[in-house]
């Protein structure tokens, strides 16, 4: 049987990252002593060796408990950020407690808080640089993972696009086995044969192992060592075949993954849930169904909205005067829209169009004659959305979530797009994942709305607090660099 060195390359990368963490921590302490002596605790000057020993011991313990994840192939910025904060917080806490027990505390707490902030920032910057080097390293063909697909379901093509979209993951697709060609398959994905052809190969390499040194043994090592992971997307009624593939993977130390199949235009992404001792699967899992996540999101909404509303109050009269000057009518535009669980609420915005009878039925277009100059500006910079922070305080909306649609759109698209109403499992947002992902502006074609709905559902099923922060930051950028589709 082939002995596969799955993690040798990853372990080298991990070791280098840990070494860099130690270098950064020690360098920061030395630089602080040299250039910021007024903040450096006196005890650190008196006992420099003890200080450096405790610092490095605390880093050893923290690395053992928290570790690093930048070397992993599927990591997000949010995961890396949280890991760095945990690592640095634990390291500084252990160091502070140990030094506090054996020395004086004068000025130590203040220094350690400042040191923590700087350490998090510097190590996070190093992670981004390390991520770049890992990407270049893997693009050069080093530390890669070779995979094959089994099946021709559209979900395989979606997975392929995800694997190659980030070159830092280092995946190399060898091809796929299926009884027929995959629709819309890129030319770079080679069909290796039928399912029967795969079974013949599996039977060959599932036979009793040959003695090392023989020709058959060498040929076996050569072929099997090319495959690191297998992604299978066969139907559930082919369970015998799926089990056969899993046994083949287990015997040859190959990672097996089952890819949920597509049903219609959507991924059959079933999530497990416990009902007593029984295990059931649901087609929708919302992290915001957790009471803690609900409390976290709602608390953040209230705190931020209160601050925004207080800051916004002095500007409301100025905005109101400009609107009144350019277009007679009310300052605020109020419209009934669909909210949480399909309930109707009144959405409030700064009015950006002349008063017209089509406001509740017709979308804004790029050169819409209904817009007046200042209205066009506040639409492009999202300033027209600011009154919706009052909607957030009322509980009708959240800062981040699927954008609320007009009632006519809910009625229209709810009848022709299968999962359209699923987006109402979450409170609508002032901004959303779809909007910062390029899905803005007029929806001239049905596929444009379908793309928005898919992104809205992805957000609901993959919500994290850090995802909200990321969306808010991307939205803030549009205040200075307006989206070309924002009109």
């Amino acid at each position: 049987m082939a002995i596969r060195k799955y993690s040798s390359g990853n372990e080298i990368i991990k070791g280098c990252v840990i070494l860099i963490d130690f270098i950064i921590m020690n360098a920061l302490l030395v630089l602080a002593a040299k250039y910021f002596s007024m903040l450096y605790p006196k005890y650190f000057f008196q006992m420099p060796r003890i200080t450096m020993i405790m610092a490095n011991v605390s880093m050893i313990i923290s690395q053992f408990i928290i570790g690093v994840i930048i070397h992993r192939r599927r990591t997000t910025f949010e995961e890396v950020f949280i890991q760095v904060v945990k690592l640095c917080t634990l390291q500084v806490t252990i160091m502070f407690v140990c030094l506090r027990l054996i020395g004086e505390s004068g000025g130590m707490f203040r220094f350690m808080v400042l040191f923590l902030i700087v350490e998090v920032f510097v190590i996070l910057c190093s992670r981004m640089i390390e991520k770049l080097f890992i990407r270049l390293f893997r693009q050069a063909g080093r530390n890669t993972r070779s995979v094959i697909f089994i099946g021709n379901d559209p979900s395989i093509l979606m997975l392929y696009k995800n694997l190659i979209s980030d070159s830092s993951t280092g995946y190399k697709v060898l091809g796929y086995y299926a009884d027929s060609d995959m629709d819309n398959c890129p030319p770079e994905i080679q069909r290796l044969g039928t399912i029967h052809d795969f079974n013949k190969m599996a039977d060959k390499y599932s036979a009793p192992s040959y003695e090392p040194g023989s020709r058959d043994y060498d040929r076996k090592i050569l072929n099997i060592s090319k495959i690191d992971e297998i992604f299978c997307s066969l139907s559930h009624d082919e369970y015998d075949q799926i089990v056969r593939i899993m046994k083949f993977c287990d015997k040859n130390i190959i990672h097996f993954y089952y890819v949920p199949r597509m049903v219609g235009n959507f991924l059959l992404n079933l999530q497990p849930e416990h009902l007593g001792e029984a295990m059931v699967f649901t087609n929708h899992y919302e992290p915001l169904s957790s009471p803690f996540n609900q409390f976290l999101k709602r608390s953040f909404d209230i705190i931020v909205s209160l601050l925004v509303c207080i800051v916004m109050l002095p500007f409301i009269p100025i905005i109101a005067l400009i609107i009144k000057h350019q277009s007679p009518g009310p300052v605020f535009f109020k419209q009934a829209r669909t909210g949480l669980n399909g309930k109707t609420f009144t959405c409030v915005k700064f009015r950006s169009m002349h008063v017209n009878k089509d406001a509740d039925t017709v979308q804004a277009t790029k050169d819409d004659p209904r817009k007046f100059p200042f209205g066009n500006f506040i639409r492009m910079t999202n300033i027209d959305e600011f009154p919706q922070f009052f909607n957030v305080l009322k509980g009708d909306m959240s800062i981040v979530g699927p954008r609320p649609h007009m009632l006519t759109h809910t009625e229209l698209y709810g009848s022709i797009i299968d999962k359209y109403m699923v987006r109402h499992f979450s409170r609508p947002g002032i901004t959303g994942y779809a909007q910062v992902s390029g899905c803005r502006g007029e929806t001239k074609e049905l596929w444009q709305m379908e793309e928005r709905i898919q992104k809205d559902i992805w957000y609901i099923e993959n919500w994290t607090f850090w995802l909200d922060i990321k969306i808010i930051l991307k939205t803030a950028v549009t205040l200075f660099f307006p989206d070309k589709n924002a009109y």
Side-chain angles (χ1 to χ4, degrees):
M1 182 175 294
I3 303 301
R4 192 180 307 274
K5 295 183 178 179
Y6 269 116
S7 58
S8 59
N10 279 354
E11 290 302 317
I12 293 174
I13 294 173
K14 179 180 178 181
C16 292
V17 172
I18 292 174
L19 177 61
I20 293 172
D21 288 350
F22 275 90
I23 293 173
I24 289 174
M25 181 200 65
N26 284 278
L28 289 177
L29 286 172
V30 172
L31 291 172
K34 186 173 183 180
Y35 296 105
F36 299 94
S37 56
M38 72 293 296
L39 298 175
Y40 211 66
K42 293 182 179 179
Y43 178 78
F44 288 10
F45 282 118
Q46 297 169 356
M47 305 293 290
R49 290 185 179 180
I50 295 296
T51 298
M52 299 305 289
I53 290 174
M54 288 296 100
N56 283 275
V57 168
S58 64
M59 179 60 83
I60 292 173
I61 297 173
S62 301
Q63 290 285 0
F64 180 78
I65 296 174
I66 305 299
V68 298
I69 62 173
I70 193 69
H71 61 290
R72 297 177 186 173
R73 297 179 187 274
R74 291 178 286 267
T75 55
T76 64
F77 174 80
E78 291 81 3
E79 292 172 333
V80 173
F81 177 81
I82 293 172
Q83 183 267 345
V84 169
V85 171
K86 288 181 178 179
L87 176 71
C88 295
T89 302
L90 183 60
Q91 184 270 317
V92 169
T93 301
I94 295 174
M95 179 181 172
F96 172 75
V97 171
C98 292
L99 291 175
R100 178 65 182 83
L101 291 174
I102 62 177
E104 300 177 2
S105 61
M108 190 182 297
F109 180 78
R110 180 183 62 178
F111 173 79
M112 296 305 289
V113 171
L114 294 173
F115 182 79
L116 172 61
I117 296 172
V118 174
E119 186 180 45
V120 168
F121 175 77
V122 176
I123 290 184
L124 190 62
C125 290
S126 75
R127 288 289 188 273
M128 297 303 100
I129 297 173
E130 291 157 3
K131 186 78 170 176
L132 175 61
F133 276 100
I134 291 173
R135 177 181 290 112
L136 296 174
F137 184 66
R138 288 171 174 165
Q139 282 178 342
R142 307 296 297 275
N143 189 231
T144 58
R145 283 286 182 90
S146 297
V147 305
I148 63 171
F149 300 132
I150 299 181
N152 58 3
D153 191 79
S155 59
I156 291 290
L157 189 58
M158 180 185 297
L159 174 64
Y160 170 75
K161 293 178 180 178
N162 289 332
L163 291 181
I164 66 170
S165 62
D166 184 0
S167 56
S168 66
T169 58
Y171 281 107
K172 179 182 178 182
V173 177
L174 301 179
Y176 71 99
Y177 286 93
D179 289 334
S180 59
D181 291 337
M182 189 186 306
D183 292 336
N184 302 316
C185 182
E188 57 268 23
I189 307 182
Q190 179 185 1
R191 184 182 170 201
L192 303 175
T194 64
I195 301 298
H196 178 68
D197 293 329
F198 174 84
N199 289 337
K200 288 172 62 178
M201 181 190 70
D203 291 341
K204 175 181 178 182
Y205 295 124
S206 295
S209 298
Y210 296 95
E211 290 297 325
S214 70
R215 180 181 299 179
D216 290 330
Y217 180 88
D218 292 338
R219 186 165 61 247
K220 179 179 177 181
I221 297 294
L222 179 63
N223 290 328
I224 291 300
S225 65
K226 291 181 179 179
I227 306 173
D228 294 310
E229 299 178 0
I230 288 180
F231 293 89
C232 172
S233 186
L234 299 177
S235 62
H236 289 185
D237 57 6
E238 298 181 83
Y239 59 88
D240 287 336
Q241 180 63 52
I242 296 174
V243 170
R244 189 173 189 173
I245 297 170
M246 288 193 293
K247 288 181 177 179
F248 165 75
C249 291
D250 290 342
K251 288 183 178 180
N252 293 280
I253 323 178
I254 298 172
H255 285 287
F256 172 88
Y257 299 95
Y258 183 80
V259 183
R261 292 170 61 82
M262 298 285 285
V263 177
N265 292 323
F266 295 94
L267 193 66
L268 184 59
N269 189 15
L270 301 180
Q271 300 289 337
E273 286 187 5
H274 285 282
L275 288 179
E277 296 182 357
M279 176 74 77
V280 297
F281 292 84
T282 177
N283 63 332
H284 296 294
Y285 170 73
E286 303 96 42
L288 286 172
S289 62
S290 162
F292 175 78
N293 289 340
Q294 291 177 4
F295 172 79
L296 179 63
K297 186 174 176 66
R298 185 60 184 150
S299 299
F300 178 80
D301 283 345
I302 292 174
I303 293 171
V304 174
S305 296
L306 278 173
L307 293 174
V308 172
C309 289
I310 292 172
V311 172
M312 187 176 64
L313 283 176
F315 296 96
I316 292 180
I318 300 174
I319 296 173
L321 286 173
I322 299 175
I323 291 175
K324 285 283 189 179
H325 175 72
Q326 294 192 359
S327 175
V331 172
F332 297 102
F333 173 71
K334 300 179 180 180
Q335 187 178 65
R337 298 198 178 186
T338 310
L340 179 65
N341 296 323
K343 295 181 179 179
T344 301
F345 74 100
T346 302
C347 181
V348 183
K349 302 172 64 175
F350 283 123
R351 185 169 59 86
S352 58
M353 292 185 175
H354 298 295
V355 177
N356 65 93
K357 63 180 181 179
D358 297 322
D360 293 332
T361 57
V362 180
Q363 280 185 305
T365 58
K366 186 173 183 179
D367 299 312
D368 201 316
R370 296 175 296 171
K371 293 185 291 185
F372 50 90
F374 182 69
N376 189 49
F377 168 76
I378 62 176
R379 290 180 72 93
M380 291 179 61
T381 55
N382 293 314
I383 294 175
D384 65 321
E385 311 283 3
F386 272 54
Q388 289 171 32
F389 282 100
F390 292 106
N391 282 117
V392 175
L393 288 176
K394 289 176 57 181
D396 293 330
M397 297 179 65
S398 178
I399 295 176
V400 181
R403 284 294 296 154
H405 289 174
M406 296 184 293
L407 300 185
T408 52
H409 279 179
T410 300
E411 182 178 356
L412 171 64
Y413 292 116
S415 62
I416 60 178
I417 298 178
D418 290 338
K419 287 194 173 185
Y420 180 86
M421 299 304 292
V422 173
R423 68 196 305 275
H424 300 114
F425 284 154
S426 173
R427 277 193 180 92
I430 297 176
T431 184
Y433 176 69
Q435 282 63 46
V436 300
S437 301
C439 296
R440 294 196 61 176
E442 184 183 7
T443 51
K444 298 179 181 179
E445 304 290 341
L446 181 61
W447 67 266
Q448 294 173 307
M449 181 59 75
E450 289 177 335
E451 185 178 10
R452 291 189 185 187
I453 301 309
Q454 289 183 6
K455 292 185 182 298
D456 286 339
I457 295 174
W458 184 92
Y459 167 80
I460 293 172
E461 295 181 345
N462 295 273
W463 177 89
T464 65
F465 178 75
W466 297 109
L467 177 60
D468 275 2
I469 298 298
K470 185 176 181 179
I471 293 171
I472 290 171
L473 292 176
K474 285 188 174 182
T475 304
V477 172
T478 63
L479 292 173
F480 307 97
F481 304 97
D483 190 322
K484 62 179 181 180
N485 293 320
Y487 47 80

